Amino acid sequence: MDQAEKDTKPKLEFLALAEELRSYILSFLPWQDIVRCTFVCKALRQTCIISSELQYIIELGGQRLLPVPIADLRNHTSVSQRLQLLRNKAHAWFQFNLHACSFQTLSIQEQFYEVRTSLADGHFCLWHESEDSEHWAKIIPILPKPSQSTVERYWSPASLCSVPNAYIVDVHMDPTQNLIAIAYAVSHDMTQEGRFYVDLREHLTLKGLGRHLALQCSPGFDDPLRTSRVIWWLQLWDWQHSTTSNSNLSDTMSHFQFSIDFLFVGNNRLLMVSDVLKLYSIEDMSQEPQLLACYSLPFTVMGEHSLLPIDDIAHGSPLQMQAQQTMWTSDIEHRLLCYVTSRLRFVFVISTSIFFDLDSERVGEKAVTIPWQSWGPANTRVFPDSWKVLVSGNRIIQVFPADVRSRYRLHMMDFSPLAVERRQGLGRVVTEPSATEVHESGKTLITSLHYVEVVSDRVFDAVELIGMWLDRDRIYLAKMMDPPDDDPGDLRIDQLEVIEMSTVEY
């Protein structure tokens, strides 16, 4: 065939394809590339705009969400309905009109003092720790529409642990997996049992995420000023597959670091949080966690606690997703971590994407130390400490004073890429870098993670915010009863107010 024949032969061009076929082909692209296609030409822009499927992909990606990978889940809900639901929920947050949002109240009466509380899959989890070993645990469904795996259980001191004379030190509850994990010693005296024992002076923390459980021991001190460096340890289990573990981690810390925190970042990474952030791989649970990188902080801090969203970051099996009956889940690699320091009272808001951006060629080699200037300014925002901090997905809520009468407002900050576009003129856009003065060291921290800030219309008294939780698109507020005359410090939860940030039914 000569050149003339080649030039005259009909060509199959992409734009000549039917609209539905173009949309189908584009649906295999990442959401950022679909957005870029809208700037190529009018035809591609039209394809992207009128296609609910493509708009849904953009909306999910822009809100840092992933679709639940179950073919028959919500098969009665069309893509266009899911798209509208996503947009409505986002817009409800940008309005942040707590007076107009739907809410329900749940009657509950528990001692708030010495009761540890958490939220999981729309269930209120409580466990009471007492010096007299009168421990109990309870799971109460609080969702307006509880999941199909709703758990409503009460465990008395005798049923919580069947081991005689056991002393319970921590409890982890996960209703999405029908899991309750208990860390205990064989007696109040922590008598040695086999190869394992726990000193009564030591502080134990039990955490779990998905298939992982971890028990951490941080020593207490009789005289901290005379202690130089001490050893802490952590043991991890893949509880779904084994009751034993060879995955252990230990290190030393200075005596002035009274606590060291840890949290799971996705299904295969662990972050140890102290005066530096140490990232470990826990892909292979048969061996010690592998140190991948150390992220330096801009100054020496004493960490108070770290916060990661409490939703379905690690729930990956179809059974778990069916139990939750949700259409999307947070993107593991693009979420927020809040690190609250206790000494200088700062809140570090950190994008978890930095923990997944490591050079793949260097993984397996000696762990790298990444200085603050290389990772911090572009991937964080630093705030003066608010009264309370909550985090869910790419949103955080901070509590700040509203006036001089000890009243407070909630400040919602959305860090998702589409926040500016989807806010529809609501809220304050913050894209310029902010400078935070560290008076003790004379340093100035420059951070520039973009966000949109909206202030709630509702004002709260301090007592209204003592018990407050954030879980996906719901805010939970504990209502306190007046304390009895004989024990003014014995606060009790009277009701739990559930504020739904979207009134859309689906």
Side-chain angles (χ1 to χ4, degrees), residues 85-105:
L85 176 60
L86 262 182
R87 289 176 173 173
N88 287 346
K89 283 183 175 290
H91 187 61
W93 277 106
F94 292 129
Q95 289 179 315
F96 211 22
N97 184 351
L98 301 185
H99 286 106
C101 291
S102 64
F103 68 92
Q104 296 189 11
T105 56

Side-chain angles (χ1 to χ4, degrees), residues 249-391:
L249 186 63
S250 64
D251 204 344
T252 60
M253 64 179 180
S254 302
H255 66 80
F256 60 81
Q257 294 173 289
F258 293 104
S259 65
I260 184 168
D261 204 1
F262 71 96
L263 46 86
F264 295 98
V265 184
N267 294 300
N268 56 13
R269 301 201 173 190
L270 179 79
L271 190 68
M272 301 301 301
V273 184
S274 58
D275 56 341
V276 296
L277 308 180
K278 293 185 177 181
L279 182 68
Y280 293 86
S281 170
I282 53 175
E283 187 74 40
D284 185 355
M285 295 293 291
S286 66
Q287 62 181 15
E288 179 179 315
Q290 176 191 359
L291 181 61
L292 299 177
C294 298
Y295 298 84
S296 300
L297 291 171
F299 51 84
T300 301
V301 302
M302 288 179 60
E304 181 176 273
H305 60 274
S306 51
L307 300 171
L308 202 64
I310 54 179
D311 60 11
D312 49 9
I313 184 172
H315 301 153
S317 74
L319 180 60
Q320 293 158 12
M321 287 302 186
Q322 283 178 334
Q324 291 176 219
Q325 285 294 290
T326 186
M327 292 179 286
W328 47 75
T329 180
S330 295
D331 187 346
I332 293 174
E333 299 186 12
H334 298 283
R335 312 180 88 229
L336 296 178
L337 160 68
C338 284
Y339 183 34
V340 183
T341 65
S342 59
R343 186 178 180 184
L344 299 177
R345 307 304 298 176
F346 288 128
V347 176
F348 286 77
V349 179
I350 304 170
S351 171
T352 60
S353 61
I354 63 169
F355 304 126
F356 296 90
D357 289 341
L358 292 174
D359 187 348
S360 59
E361 295 181 358
R362 304 185 66 172
V363 174
E365 300 178 1
K366 184 178 180 180
V368 295
T369 297
I370 305 175
W372 165 260
Q373 287 300 326
S374 297
W375 73 270
N379 296 285
T380 67
R381 277 284 178 174
V382 177
F383 299 94
D385 185 32
S386 63
W387 190 65
K388 185 183 284 286
V389 182
L390 304 172
V391 58

Side-chain angles (χ1 to χ4, degrees), residues 437-452:
E437 300 293 331
V438 185
H439 298 292
E440 191 169 291
S441 65
K443 295 182 179 179
T444 300
L445 299 183
I446 306 297
T447 53
S448 58
L449 197 62
H450 296 180
Y451 65 94
V452 174

